[in-house]
Amino acid sequence: TSMSRFTPRVELYGNPTYDDYNRLHSAMQAKGFSRKISIQDNKTLMLPHAEYSFNSPNATAVVLDLAKEAASPIWKDFAILVTRTEVTREWYNLKEVK
């Protein structure tokens, strides 16, 4: 089974604070999700707010369940969209991590 690249996005509904999203980021990171992507020339870019990168041989539904496990203890009302990226990703103006 080959690895697939996923781009999950998690949105906390209502009035989440900066601290709530920081708790979400920590919980997602503990499950193996990253807020950064590596590109050529050894550069690392920060993904948009509440968007993550995840590499896995598993199905999209498994990645969704993993993200739900991370978000559930953090916030009651949330949404997750998981996109499986087979070939390339394109972006504009992502900031480089220094």
Side-chain angles (χ1 to χ4, degrees), residues 83-95:
T83 305
R84 183 179 185 156
T85 308
E86 293 301 328
V87 184
T88 63
R89 288 190 270 210
E90 297 292 330
W91 57 83
Y92 169 74
N93 205 27
L94 293 182
K95 302 303 181 194

Side-chain angles (χ1 to χ4, degrees), residues 5-76:
R5 185 168 45 199
F6 298 90
T7 308
R9 174 160 172 71
V10 181
E11 181 173 348
L12 305 179
Y13 290 133
N15 293 307
T17 65
Y18 185 77
D19 286 341
D20 293 321
Y21 270 104
N22 279 337
R23 289 184 13 237
L24 173 66
H25 298 327
S26 294
M28 294 290 285
Q29 185 175 6
K31 296 281 186 183
F33 295 88
S34 176
R35 296 181 60 210
K36 303 169 187 171
I37 57 173
S38 296
I39 61 168
Q40 67 277 6
D41 301 327
N42 293 322
K43 290 184 181 175
T44 302
L45 304 177
M46 184 64 76
L47 289 170
H49 183 65
E51 199 152 310
Y52 302 89
S53 183
F54 190 76
N55 295 329
S56 174
N58 294 313
T60 308
V62 174
V63 177
L64 174 62
D65 286 344
L66 199 58
K68 283 166 45 178
E69 287 175 18
S72 294
I74 305 302
W75 200 255
K76 188 176 205 166

